[in-house]
Structure formats: C-alpha cells, structure tokens
Amino acid sequence: MVLRADDELRHPFSDDYHWRESVYFNFNDVENQIGGWIYYWVTPNREARTGMLVSFYHGANPRTDGGQAALTSPDHVLRDGDNWLYFYNKDGEALEPANFDAVDFGGLKLSRLAPLKSYALSFEDDVGNGFDLRGEFLTAPYDYADGVHPTPAFIALNRYHRAWKTKGELRLAGRVYAVDCTGDSDHSWGTRDAPTFGSNLFKMWSFRTADGRVMISVLKQGVGGVASGETLALGFVSIDGEMSSAANVETSAEYDAAGVQSRIALRVTDALGRTVTASLDRMHSYLGYGQAFWGFEGVGQYQVEGHGEAPGLVSYFWPEHVTGAMLRAGEVA
C-alpha cells in the first residue's frame, strides 16, 4: 500500500489489550561515540496508557538492568570509567490527546515540520538534561505490508521504517555535544503481544553509506520460538534511490560471556535479487536491556562490500531462558 502523510499520525485502535502505537528515532553519533534512542508510545487499553523513554550511551554498557540503574542515579547517568549510560522514562495513566505530529509528554516534544519530510525533536528532564534536534527523512517510509513476508500478527497490524539524519545539540550531565549524524526511525500500530514477541529472537540492522547510495533497515524476526529456528526477513534495501523488500537475511556473529556481539557478518538479498554484504567488527557503544526478554542495542561502523564505511545500528534480543554462555557456545544462533 502507498503510505500517506496521515500515516505519520495516530491510527484508530481496537479494544485489544495488546494494542500499541509507537514511534522511535535512533541514531549513531560517530563523532562523539554516542548512540541515541528516542521512543514514544500509546497503549490505550492498559493501565499506563502513554509512555516515553530517552536514552543515550557511550562505550560498553553491558548491564541489562543499566537503564533502571541510570534512571535512579542523581543525574540519570550510570558511569563505569569512560563508559556511561543516560536513561529517562515516564508513564502516564491518561491517554494523551495529542497526535504524533505534536507530542508533548514527559519532557519530550515531537513536532512535525513538513509531512513525510521533517520533524523537530526536543527534550528536557527534571535535572536539566535535554536536547534540541531537527530530523530530516532520507527515504520514503517503507511499508512492511509491501514486503516479501507479512509482518507477524503479534508484532503489529502495520509498520514502516525510514532512514533519517539529525542535527542539533545534546545537553547531558553539564556537557554539550554537537550532534550531526544519521540513523533509523520507525512507526508501528496494532497488536504488540509482548509474551509472544519475547519468546522469539529479534535481530535488527540498519546503516547508510557516506554517499547515501546504500541504505538498509532489516530484521530477522523469529516466529516459532527459538527452538524452532523459524525466522522471517523484514525491512527494506535502498540502492541508488530504488527501495525493495528484504527477502533473505543471513548473519553470523561472535559472542562474549555476557552475550555481547562482535565480528558481525551480514548478507541481505532483496526482492529484486540485489545483495548487500556488510560486516561490523565491534560496536563502539551499546546498552543492555532486560525485561521479559533481554539483549543489546548498539552502534558502530559497518564495512559495506563495494561501498566502504557506513555508520549504523544493531539490535538483538532473546527470550529469558537464553544465556550468554549458550550464545558463546553456539547453542543458539
């Protein structure tokens, strides 16, 4: 289907307890070695109907409870030597009336400047941390409904991703960072069945080459439980301005004892038969997550065959019963 400007806004919701609509903006600030994660959602049939989180991270932050530990720190920053993690989130019982073009919740503001083209993002927490960013989209929103494989019903009714670039200022723990970088953004709506989602592996990769000729945002989504090994390729490949659905994703990686990936190899084939091969030796920065399922989100420099370096992101999550030792031993892919 062709996505319209109205698809940047909220969609009618059902009475399903698991119904959720969300937007996120992630980026890889190579210059400052910082990863960014900006997230806003509404869950109209739950006790907490509106929520947001903002997180920035520098260096290795492997603790899966690091977000909550940072939130309760005096300046919402968890430090370990040169590594640090900022985390702030808020939930509200009321369903916020504002649409997704004029969000103002928990100190986070998302304002659409031009439909399908640009957003202004700003934030200020309770201790003076914040940011002012302007984001411009580098691709059209890629509708997952047009993909080779349908989006599993437990994830969303529909979803789109797009590449974006952002520029502005980040103020954190008394320091100001100039931000000028690229990343990935998504918008999804419909059922998000967390127990089913959490029983499957989830892996995501996104990057953009310096010349903009290659842009990728792809998933390898488990659909039958980790033991079954069944997965689907989702997402898009954009080469020289032509977008196409991901058809197959092949990947391998090494793991340390905590389950942190390195030496990531990626081979993506799209519906047009085009193949992009890339590798990521290590993430320059990452954070852990652990609630119902666990894993890591990080940023690093991909090497794209035939195209050189490409800053990007990588996310991967597993069910609770999977351990870092299992991953390191190759018992789970």
Side-chain angles (χ1 to χ4, degrees):
M1 62 180 284
V2 177
L3 289 168
R4 305 164 302 172
D6 283 354
D7 284 307
E8 290 184 309
L9 307 179
R10 277 164 55 171
H11 294 77
F13 58 87
S14 72
D15 60 359
D16 183 354
Y17 176 81
H18 295 293
W19 202 98
R20 175 188 186 94
E21 185 158 13
S22 64
V23 290
Y24 85 61
F25 300 85
N26 289 10
F27 62 76
N28 178 0
D29 181 350
V30 177
E31 182 68 24
N32 293 309
Q33 299 279 284
I34 293 173
W37 183 18
I38 302 163
Y39 196 16
Y40 174 77
W41 63 89
V42 292
T43 48
N45 304 311
R46 299 192 184 187
E47 293 76 14
R49 294 175 173 85
T50 308
M52 56 74 67
L53 76 80
V54 169
S55 183
F56 301 103
Y57 49 95
H58 170 83
N61 295 279
R63 287 179 54 174
T64 56
D65 66 342
Q68 290 306 307
L71 179 63
T72 56
S73 297
D75 54 3
H76 309 308
V77 179
L78 182 66
R79 296 176 175 83
D80 179 14
D82 291 334
N83 305 318
W84 54 259
L85 165 63
Y86 171 84
F87 189 92
Y88 184 86
N89 82 292
K90 184 167 286 189
D91 294 301
E93 293 183 2
L95 179 62
E96 286 294 304
N99 217 316
F100 278 16
D101 60 347
V103 169
D104 185 354
F105 176 79
L108 176 65
K109 295 181 180 180
L110 307 176
S111 303
R112 184 167 66 168
L113 301 178
L116 300 176
K117 293 183 179 180
S118 61
Y119 262 75
L121 303 87
S122 66
F123 171 69
E124 185 168 352
D125 69 12
D126 55 344
V127 293
N129 298 306
F131 59 76
D132 289 287
L133 302 171
R134 180 188 173 106
E136 297 182 6
F137 299 111
L138 302 172
T139 63
Y142 182 76
D143 187 354
Y144 275 34
D146 294 334
V148 171
H149 304 115
T151 301
F154 62 82
I155 294 177
L157 175 65
N158 206 357
R159 175 178 189 159
Y160 63 77
H161 277 250
R162 47 191 170 175
W164 75 306
K165 64 179 179 180
T166 187
K167 187 173 184 178
E169 179 182 278
L170 166 63
R171 302 174 297 278
L172 187 62
R175 184 171 175 180
V176 177
Y177 300 89
V179 174
D180 188 356
C181 58
T182 59
D184 182 56
S185 177
D186 95 333
H187 182 173
S188 65
W189 58 95
T191 293
R192 175 64 61 84
D193 185 338
T196 304
F197 183 91
S199 69
N200 289 280
L201 68 81
F202 171 93
K203 297 182 178 181
M204 184 183 79
W205 307 263
S206 63
F207 55 80
R208 175 187 183 272
T209 57
D211 58 11
R213 291 186 59 199
V214 178
M215 290 181 273
I216 277 182
S217 177
V218 295
L219 302 177
K220 193 168 188 179
Q221 176 62 63
V223 293
V226 168
S228 76
E230 186 180 359
T231 60
L232 295 176
L234 303 170
F236 72 81
V237 174
S238 176
I239 301 177
D240 293 330
E242 186 173 16
M243 297 183 77
S244 179
S245 167
N248 188 53
V249 176
E250 302 170 74
T251 185
S252 63
E254 295 180 3
Y255 297 89
D256 68 12
V260 177
Q261 282 187 349
S262 62
R263 298 189 181 277
I264 299 169
L266 184 67
R267 181 180 173 87
V268 181
T269 304
D270 71 7
L272 299 177
R274 304 175 301 181
T275 297
V276 176
T277 302
S279 61
L280 178 62
D281 186 59
R282 68 175 187 88
M283 298 178 285
H284 65 69
S285 302
Y286 63 86
L287 77 162
Y289 176 89
Q291 291 182 17
F293 49 90
W294 71 277
F296 300 92
E297 174 148 333
V299 290
Q301 289 286 83
Y302 287 85
Q303 296 293 327
V304 184
E305 189 174 291
H307 295 275
E309 283 193 337
L313 302 102
V314 56
S315 299
Y316 46 100
F317 298 94
W318 296 275
E320 286 183 304
H321 72 270
V322 175
T323 66
M326 293 168 63
L327 293 165
R328 192 174 192 183
E331 297 173 19
V332 178

